[in-house]
Amino acid sequence: MSWKNQSGGPWGSGPRGPWGTGPQSPGPNSPDLEDLIRRGQEKLRSAMPGGFGSGKGIILVVALAIVAWLLSGFYRVEPDEQGVVLRFGRFVATSNPGLNYHLPYPIETVLTPQVTRVNRIDIGIRTGDDPRRGAAMRDVAEESLMLTGDENIVDVDFAVFWMVKPAAAGSTEDIGAANFLFNVQNPEGTIKAVAESAMREVVGRTNIQPILTGARQNIETAVHELMQKTLDDYQSGVLITQVQLQKVDPPQQVIDSFRDVQAARADAERLQNEAQAYANRVVPEARGEAARITQGAEGYKERAVIEARGQASRFLSVLAEYQKAPEVTRQRLYLETMERVFGGMDKVIIDQKASGNGVVPYLPLGALSPSSAKPAPATQGAAK
């Protein structure tokens, strides 16, 4: 029995209109649905050669439908995309940018993820919209506060740049884009969690002082490598291009005290360097002076010993001669002593026995010496 003959409709809700919107009564100018269908069939019969109901017409329609179905397999991949071909929902191949072909739906379908666009994820900071000041950075402490290897707390804000790892065209093994589409449900959330975990691990085995000073590049490299290894183990199809530290500071609550400590450490290091420089200058001078004094003492010692040995040897030789001829030796010693005593003196000879026969009783021998620069004194009378 037809539904239109039922007074209550299929659900017993009364008579319904042709569009299922409740009781409707067609107006005098509204076309009947059956009349529209009949007119469409008549137009289609007139357009088909030999009539719509003939076998040739049906074959032609089927052929056109098949051709249209086959042509629907052509698709275009943009330069920044890569095609991922699925056969009944299973990955089979990848395709390069340009015009490509796959078996028509529902046998095969294609997905075209962007593989050249570099995406950015900020960790520890957020960009918020302030109605008065526009975009503003907001710190997220639960993401940025980390424990260092020496049990200090540091506030680390950093950014991760990533992109979809492109697969080799036609490969069924290197399927980075397919892994990105099917193995990761929330790519940004996964990358963010891996980045935060990797940063905490690297910071957790590093002391705070290198983190704040010269180890930033090493930390970025270590986090980059650890993230890529973890994501590759997940077969996520994600390529990390860069990890960039934005801010590395102590927590905001203690940053002033920390800066005072850093300033004190800098002053202590400066004073130590100055003391070391002073020591490097004074110690070599003192060592040189000590070496000079030591060498002078050694020279004086050798000279004194040699002189003493010479004098002792001379005395022994004189003693031996004295024992052989005491009177002669005594006379020689006397003469040598007088020679040594009067050798450097000005000598004047006065002869008291000289008479007035033209002999000068006063003879200044020192004035007669050619090496003497003193003028000769005037001749004095004979001494009495």
Side-chain angles (χ1 to χ4, degrees):
M1 181 176 60
S2 175
W3 287 353
K4 65 181 180 180
N5 295 327
Q6 299 177 5
S7 60
W11 295 280
S13 58
R16 302 176 61 86
W19 309 108
T21 57
Q24 293 183 358
S25 57
N29 297 326
S30 60
D32 187 14
L33 180 59
E34 295 179 357
D35 184 46
L36 291 175
I37 295 175
R38 185 176 64 255
R39 292 179 183 178
Q41 292 175 351
E42 292 176 354
K43 291 181 179 179
L44 187 58
R45 287 195 195 98
S46 61
M48 290 296 177
F52 178 74
S54 64
K56 292 182 180 181
I58 296 176
I59 292 174
L60 181 59
V61 171
V62 172
L64 292 176
I66 293 175
V67 171
W69 179 69
L70 293 175
L71 291 176
S72 66
F74 286 98
Y75 65 96
R76 179 178 180 82
V77 179
E78 298 298 331
D80 61 339
E81 299 175 343
Q82 187 169 45
V84 178
V85 181
L86 309 177
R87 183 174 299 163
F88 298 112
R90 181 179 181 180
F91 170 77
V92 291
T94 58
S95 56
N96 290 327
L99 187 62
N100 298 272
Y101 182 81
H102 67 84
L103 295 178
Y105 180 86
I107 300 176
E108 289 183 351
T109 56
V110 65
L111 300 174
T112 56
Q114 292 182 331
V115 296
T116 61
R117 185 181 65 183
V118 178
N119 305 279
R120 171 172 175 162
I121 297 178
D122 291 320
I123 300 176
I125 52 176
R126 293 290 186 276
T127 303
D129 294 332
D130 191 334
R132 294 173 297 178
R133 294 180 296 178
M137 303 303 294
R138 178 175 59 88
D139 189 70
V140 183
E142 58 269 19
E143 295 179 1
S144 61
L145 293 180
M146 302 180 185
L147 188 66
T148 64
D150 51 358
E151 298 182 355
N152 285 299
I153 298 178
V154 65
D155 190 358
V156 180
D157 297 339
F158 64 102
V160 176
F161 298 88
W162 64 276
M163 60 185 295
V164 179
K165 182 185 293 185
S171 173
T172 57
E173 297 179 357
D174 187 8
I175 52 175
N179 286 336
F180 176 77
L181 292 173
F182 304 122
N183 291 351
V184 182
Q185 184 176 4
N186 183 9
E188 290 193 358
T190 302
I191 296 171
K192 179 179 176 183
V194 171
E196 186 176 345
S197 175
M199 182 62 73
R200 290 185 183 277
E201 179 176 345
V202 173
V203 170
R205 58 173 182 250
T206 309
N207 292 339
I208 188 172
Q209 195 62 29
I211 295 176
L212 298 175
T213 54
R216 296 170 66 98
Q217 183 64 36
N218 296 335
I219 292 174
E220 292 175 350
T221 303
V223 173
H224 186 177
E225 294 175 354
L226 183 57
M227 284 188 63
Q228 190 63 62
K229 181 180 181 301
T230 304
L231 293 171
D232 290 343
D233 292 340
Y234 291 164
Q235 296 183 353
S236 61
V238 174
L239 177 65
I240 302 299
T241 60
Q242 185 182 6
V243 175
Q244 188 178 81
L245 289 173
Q246 302 293 327
K247 183 189 72 172
V248 182
D249 287 325
Q252 189 65 32
Q253 295 83 352
V254 298
I255 190 170
D256 293 335
S257 300
F258 188 86
R259 287 174 178 171
D260 292 340
V261 172
Q262 293 298 105
R265 288 179 178 175
D267 292 340
E269 184 176 357
R270 178 180 57 80
L271 294 175
Q272 290 177 358
N273 293 336
E274 292 178 356
Q276 187 65 37
Y278 176 76
N280 294 338
R281 178 175 57 84
V282 172
V283 170
E285 292 179 356
R287 289 176 178 173
E289 183 67 17
R292 186 186 64 79
I293 295 174
T294 302
Q295 292 177 357
E298 292 290 337
Y300 174 77
K301 171 186 174 182
E302 293 180 2
R303 179 172 59 84
V305 170
I306 292 174
E307 289 180 354
R309 288 176 179 175
Q311 292 178 1
S313 177
R314 178 178 176 279
F315 178 80
L316 292 177
S317 63
V318 171
L319 177 62
E321 296 297 328
Y322 178 79
Q323 291 175 350
K324 293 178 181 179
E327 189 62 27
V328 174
T329 304
R330 186 181 300 112
Q331 184 66 25
R332 185 168 63 85
L333 290 174
Y334 173 77
L335 294 176
E336 289 177 355
T337 302
M338 295 304 293
E339 181 182 1
R340 186 169 61 252
V341 170
F342 290 105
M345 298 175 60
D346 293 335
K347 293 173 286 294
V348 177
I349 297 177
I350 300 177
D351 187 4
Q352 296 180 356
K353 297 178 180 181
S355 60
N357 297 324
V359 178
V360 180
Y362 175 75
L363 182 62
L365 297 179
L368 299 178
S369 177
S371 60
S372 177
K374 296 180 180 180
T379 304
Q380 298 180 2
K384 294 181 179 180

